[in-house]
């Protein structure tokens, strides 16, 4: 693959390559200390700051389109987690959800104490609805398919290690 080809790779592929390269190299991030836990935590705190407006915007989209603007968005900022790592949480709660006692819509950035680098997750995400009946609807699923494929490959690397991804080994 040439540098020109790499420049046109979709962002989700670039993100996976950064992630797997970090595993390969024992680092996290660029610039400054990318090896020590303290350095990685500084990178995580900055990532939380960078993600914040996007996480809020996504939750606002759901609030406006599905909750008639009646939701409440809360953000924790980066905080020390119970395992000694760091976590940041963005939630969207609403009256009907609170009345039933279930979790709000949740976006989580977390850097567990034993983790090599941080991750993103939701509160409950495992299944995604498939209601496709037209070509346009199928095309609209591409970001979801990308997210599922990226998460699946990440989990496969987690089950073994980064060496199952030829591009990561080749990039050493």
């Amino acid at each position: 693959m040439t540098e020109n080809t790499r420049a046109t790779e979709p962002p989700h592929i670039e993100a996976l390559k950064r992630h797997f390269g970090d595993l390969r190299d024992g680092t996290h991030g660029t610039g400054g200390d990318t090896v020590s836990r303290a350095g990685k935590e500084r990178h995580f705190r900055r990532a939380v700051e960078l993600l914040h407006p996007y996480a809020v915007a996504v939750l606002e989209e759901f609030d406006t389109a599905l909750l008639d603007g009646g939701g409440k968005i809360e953000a924790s900022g980066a905080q020390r987690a119970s395992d000694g790592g760091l976590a940041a949480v963005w939630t969207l709660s609403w009256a009907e959800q609170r009345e039933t006692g279930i979790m709000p819509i949740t976006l989580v950035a977390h850097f567990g104490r034993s983790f090599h680098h941080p991750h993103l997750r939701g509160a409950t995400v495992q299944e995604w609805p498939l209601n496709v009946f037209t070509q346009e609807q199928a095309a609209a699923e591409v970001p979801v398919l990308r997210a599922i494929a990226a998460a699946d490959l990440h989990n496969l690397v987690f089950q073994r290690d980064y060496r199952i991804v030829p591009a990561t080994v080749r990039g050493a």
Side-chain angles (χ1 to χ4, degrees):
M1 183 174 285
T2 67
E3 283 301 312
N4 260 356
T5 307
R6 281 194 191 111
T8 62
E9 287 179 335
H12 64 285
I13 297 295
E14 290 177 7
L16 281 172
K17 285 185 170 184
R18 284 192 309 274
H19 189 73
F20 298 151
D22 282 353
L23 288 171
R24 178 193 63 222
D25 301 340
T27 61
H28 177 67
T30 58
D33 177 3
T34 64
V35 178
S36 75
R37 179 67 190 198
K40 291 177 181 183
E41 286 189 0
R42 277 191 292 281
H43 282 291
F44 175 80
R45 289 179 187 282
R46 178 67 178 141
V48 168
E49 292 171 8
L50 293 169
L51 280 174
H52 178 77
Y54 299 102
V56 169
V58 165
L59 295 175
E60 286 174 344
E61 290 172 2
F62 280 80
D63 185 35
T64 299
L66 298 169
L67 307 177
D68 297 330
K72 178 180 179 185
I73 296 172
E74 296 183 282
S76 69
Q79 297 183 356
R80 193 62 57 194
S82 61
D83 74 347
L86 291 172
V89 179
W90 296 267
T91 59
L92 171 58
S93 62
W94 62 103
E96 295 84 352
Q97 164 265 322
R98 287 188 295 272
E99 288 169 8
T100 64
I102 60 174
M103 298 279 296
I105 296 172
T106 306
L107 303 172
V108 179
H110 64 110
F111 188 12
R113 184 70 202 156
S114 64
F115 285 21
H116 174 72
H117 48 235
H119 292 87
L120 291 170
R121 69 169 190 245
T124 64
V125 174
Q126 288 187 10
E127 302 290 340
W128 191 259
L130 178 61
N131 293 303
V132 171
F133 306 102
T134 68
Q135 183 66 36
E136 294 77 18
Q137 291 170 344
E141 292 297 317
V142 168
V144 172
L145 296 171
R146 286 177 177 152
I148 291 168
D152 215 23
L153 180 57
H154 174 267
N155 289 339
L156 294 170
V157 165
F158 188 70
Q159 289 175 14
R160 293 299 177 263
D161 73 20
Y162 68 87
R163 288 180 284 259
I164 70 166
V165 182
T168 305
V169 175
R170 185 174 58 246

